[in-house]
Amino acid sequence: MTEHHEHRQQSLTQATEARGLEALISRAARAGKGAAPVERWNPDFCGDLDMEIKADGTWFYLGTPIGRMPLVQLFSSVLRKDADGRTYLVTPVEKVGIRVADAPFIAVEMDVSGEGEDQVITFRTNVGDVVEAGPERPLRFVDENETGGLKPYLLVRGRLEALVARPVMYELVGHGEEIEVDGRTMFSVRSKNAVFPIMPADQLERLSA
């Protein structure tokens, strides 16, 4: 009984071996239940964990890729990005920091329904989230200086975003149109009666010339 109690009390930050990873998994066990109510939890910070989400969305633990998607989905369900800009795994009793190279999620598929102001763009992330872009889940577009291109991001929940994968981005901009935003004509996309500017229309013309 004592040994079982000690095992359950093992800290997230001590999860440095296979057995430790099992303890971490047991604390985050919400597979198939969707995201946990992490915004309502305020546990003590317990240090950093050697876990990283690479720019391509691959999760690494102790330098090794986590190949089992159910584990990735489970850990993603207890992610939270705080006002300090850092991303954490959060349970009711512990909060540990992890590293994120870019965005924690990747939008890997999209669907468009309706037209004009009734158009709705729905995305699926690499961990199974299905998100409709709109006023509460906006899209934003960031200039990618090293390539001269754009990186679109979709708000998934809280402060957590998904980077729109490049093939999906090409599909997304295929639904763009010129819309006047704050007195300027912008190449934009619509979803759920919200307009998301991509770039000024005249800039697009210069790039297309």
Side-chain angles (χ1 to χ4, degrees):
M1 184 71 176
T2 302
E3 182 179 351
H4 176 72
H5 177 75
E6 290 176 351
H7 177 71
R8 286 190 58 81
Q9 290 300 311
Q10 184 179 24
S11 170
L12 288 171
T13 54
Q14 295 174 320
T16 56
E17 300 176 356
R19 183 176 63 182
L21 185 57
E22 290 173 4
L24 180 59
I25 292 167
S26 70
R27 291 180 181 276
R30 290 185 55 86
K33 299 179 182 179
V38 294
E39 305 299 332
R40 300 202 301 264
W41 297 341
N42 190 30
D44 291 334
F45 176 62
C46 299
D48 293 325
L49 190 68
D50 189 4
M51 184 176 284
E52 181 176 9
I53 306 174
K54 299 290 189 180
D56 65 356
T58 304
W59 289 59
F60 280 73
Y61 177 70
L62 296 176
T64 301
I66 301 176
R68 293 173 57 193
M69 180 51 65
L71 291 187
V72 171
Q73 291 173 323
L74 186 152
F75 290 134
S76 72
S77 73
V78 292
L79 275 181
R80 189 176 81 194
K81 185 175 182 180
D82 285 359
D84 61 5
R86 297 197 60 201
T87 304
Y88 302 90
L89 294 176
V90 181
T91 75
V93 296
E94 294 172 287
K95 181 173 83 169
V96 297
I98 68 169
R99 302 185 303 278
V100 180
D102 194 340
F105 309 128
I106 306 292
V108 295
E109 187 178 4
M110 63 170 276
D111 176 77
V112 179
S113 61
E115 296 179 355
E117 295 183 355
D118 296 325
Q119 179 169 280
V120 177
I121 305 176
T122 304
F123 295 87
R124 179 179 64 83
T125 73
N126 60 318
V127 295
D129 293 301
V130 176
V131 183
E132 292 181 347
E136 296 181 354
R137 300 288 183 269
L139 284 160
R140 67 183 182 97
F141 296 83
V142 177
D143 290 329
E144 193 174 21
N145 294 327
E146 58 269 26
T147 65
L150 286 173
K151 295 175 73 174
Y153 293 87
L154 169 71
L155 185 63
V156 176
R157 62 178 181 270
R159 297 182 180 89
L160 299 172
E161 292 182 311
L163 172 65
V164 178
R166 192 162 296 276
V168 182
M169 181 194 72
Y170 293 141
E171 184 179 356
L172 176 63
V173 298
H175 293 275
E177 56 185 298
E178 293 188 1
I179 302 173
E180 187 169 316
V181 179
D182 296 330
R184 187 174 187 184
T185 302
M186 303 290 293
F187 183 68
S188 311
V189 291
R190 300 179 187 264
S191 185
K192 297 189 73 174
N193 204 28
V195 174
F196 305 108
I198 300 174
M199 66 176 66
D202 55 0
Q203 179 181 344
L204 179 62
E205 290 178 6
R206 289 194 300 272
L207 292 174
S208 304

